Amino acid sequence: MGMTKRTPLSGLLLIASIAVACVAEIRPDPTVSDVPSLSLVWPQPPARARIRFVEAVARPRDLGIRPSVWGRMLQAVRGTDEVWFVRPGGVAARGETIYVADPGAQALWILDREAGRFQRIHAAGEQALVSPVAVAVGPDDRVYVADSYLAKVFVYNGRGELQGAIGEQTLQRPAGLAYDAAAEHLYVADSGAHRVWIFNSDGTPAGVIGEHGDEHRQFNFPTHLALDRQGMLHVTNAMGFQIQRFTSDGRLLNAFGRHGDGSGDFSAPKGVGIDSEGHVYVVDALFDTVQIFNPDGQFLLDFGERGVDLGEFWLPGGLYIDERDRIYVADAYNQRIQIFEYLAKGDDE
């Protein structure tokens, strides 16, 4: 189950630079696809399907959410069209609600499918958001948003009202978030400080993991975080081209990954997530794919490829796996969140 043949790294970097220039000009319709439905499961038959495409979300309407009468009147008066994601970078979910950190729109999105409403939050009190790159959900629908430029984590309640800020005197460039409900800890990957900070739920410091370096339990630009069902912390060590796994008290379990262009290698590792059976999913932005490993780091499968159609990616970033094994991928330069699901339970063959 190898991966698609890849473009040389120089070509990938050229594609990335073109993407930045052209993102505002390309708006794929996430509801239309010429790809046969057969190709939206991975691996292809006759192999047993393990990953299935579910849907793509690029705007509230894709979740059945439409503006209120007042909202439609306001759009008509202002002459504005419906709102879309611009460059979604971080994603989280709880139940039927999807949370999206969108640095392109300088906004946090809260899309509640069940209630049929959404919010697009552009500010933290009197301060405008600049680069909201990561989001996590805590108790009582509390929402944590990391702004890498402002070097803070903002805390909102379920109604989108600001409750406070974390790490104002500590953080340098927060890039990833994960909330541990059992320990009531918020983990913050600080790419600028090359470490992972631990905060209590009230925002007070509770500890730190790692330091700058190339050895185990050291980081070289950590960017994304995820917790498994047992509370083990997974850290994307981006420029170390690896995933490091820790216990809740910061003890290193293992690390895997290396720089390369083959199956199981990393070129630009970003979002990480863990399904109910412990499989580790890692987004690679330059490979435009999601790779799946067992907890020991053995490569199992990948899904997705470069493109703009459903099941394809263009510089993807964040990843989140919910309690139902739904896999949310922030497909940044396709300006959408793609949702998949893990199917094959109880079989790693």
Side-chain angles (χ1 to χ4, degrees):
M1 296 181 288
M3 302 198 315
T4 306
K5 184 177 180 181
R6 294 168 176 149
T7 305
L9 184 57
S10 60
L12 291 166
L13 294 175
L14 176 60
I15 291 170
S17 64
I18 294 172
V20 174
C22 299
V23 62
E25 302 175 12
I26 296 179
R27 176 82 65 183
D29 187 338
T31 64
V32 177
S33 175
D34 295 326
V35 178
S37 59
L38 185 67
S39 67
L40 297 184
V41 296
W42 293 264
Q44 292 287 288
R48 179 183 177 188
R50 299 168 185 275
I51 303 296
R52 182 178 73 88
F53 172 83
V54 176
E55 61 183 330
V57 180
R59 53 190 170 174
R61 189 200 300 182
D62 298 329
L63 294 174
I65 301 172
R66 298 186 179 275
S68 63
V69 173
W70 171 249
R72 292 195 295 271
M73 291 174 59
L74 195 60
Q75 285 181 353
V77 170
R78 292 177 174 175
T80 56
D81 297 324
E82 65 178 323
V83 291
W84 299 67
F85 298 149
V86 177
R87 184 166 50 86
V91 60
R94 175 172 290 175
E96 293 299 320
T97 303
I98 302 174
Y99 304 83
V100 179
D102 187 345
Q106 298 180 308
L108 163 69
W109 300 73
I110 304 177
L111 302 103
D112 188 335
R113 188 201 307 255
E114 188 172 26
R117 62 173 179 263
F118 78 96
Q119 295 175 272
R120 188 172 55 159
I121 300 167
H122 288 279
E126 299 299 317
Q127 189 168 37
L129 297 176
V130 179
S131 184
V133 296
V135 59
V137 186
D140 302 319
D141 292 327
R142 191 178 305 156
V143 185
Y144 299 91
V145 180
D147 191 303
S148 62
Y149 181 85
L150 298 176
K152 298 177 186 177
V153 175
F154 295 107
V155 188
Y156 299 87
N157 64 19
R159 297 183 298 277
E161 299 165 339
L162 182 68
Q163 302 297 290
I166 294 174
E168 295 179 77
Q169 305 301 320
T170 304
L171 301 175
Q172 295 183 29
R173 196 186 311 148
L177 299 173
Y179 187 82
D180 185 341
E184 297 185 336
H185 282 162
L186 176 72
Y187 296 93
V188 182
D190 190 338
S191 182
H194 306 282
R195 61 190 62 196
V196 175
W197 301 100
I198 309 172
F199 295 93
N200 294 313
S201 58
D202 62 1
T204 57
V208 63
I209 301 173
E211 60 184 358
H212 193 198
D214 296 318
E215 303 298 326
H216 287 173
R217 212 178 182 278
Q218 294 182 329
F219 300 122
N220 192 2
F221 294 97
T223 57
H224 294 76
L225 304 174
L227 291 160
D228 65 19
R229 270 50 169 192
Q230 288 72 46
M232 303 298 107
L233 179 68
H234 295 61
V235 182
T236 300
N237 186 23
M239 295 308 295
F241 305 100
Q242 64 179 187
I243 301 297
Q244 294 193 32
R245 301 173 66 240
F246 296 88
T247 62
S248 58
D249 60 0
R251 179 173 55 86
L252 180 68
L253 288 171
N254 69 305
F256 64 86
R258 65 180 183 182
H259 190 211
D261 61 2
S263 297
D265 295 339
F266 295 134
S267 182
K270 291 189 176 292
V272 58
I274 305 91
D275 68 26
S276 60
E277 296 189 341
H279 305 117
V280 182
Y281 297 64
V282 185
V283 171
D284 198 296
L286 288 186
F287 294 160
D288 294 296
T289 192
V290 177
Q291 299 190 81
I292 307 174
F293 303 84
N294 70 14
D296 295 325
Q298 178 186 356
F299 173 75
L300 302 174
L301 175 70
D302 72 330
F303 65 92
E305 59 185 288
R306 187 170 307 117
V308 300
D309 219 319
L310 301 180
E312 299 175 344
F313 302 118
W314 188 4
L315 294 179
L319 181 145
Y320 182 82
I321 300 178
D322 70 12
E323 66 279 358
R324 300 175 296 175
D325 280 337
R326 291 282 178 105
I327 306 152
Y328 301 77
V329 181
D331 188 8
Y333 283 89
N334 279 326
Q335 301 171 272
R336 62 191 177 188
I337 302 296
Q338 293 202 65
I339 305 173
F340 306 81
E341 65 178 341
Y342 171 57
L343 300 172
K345 297 180 171 58
D347 181 7
D348 279 345
E349 294 181 3

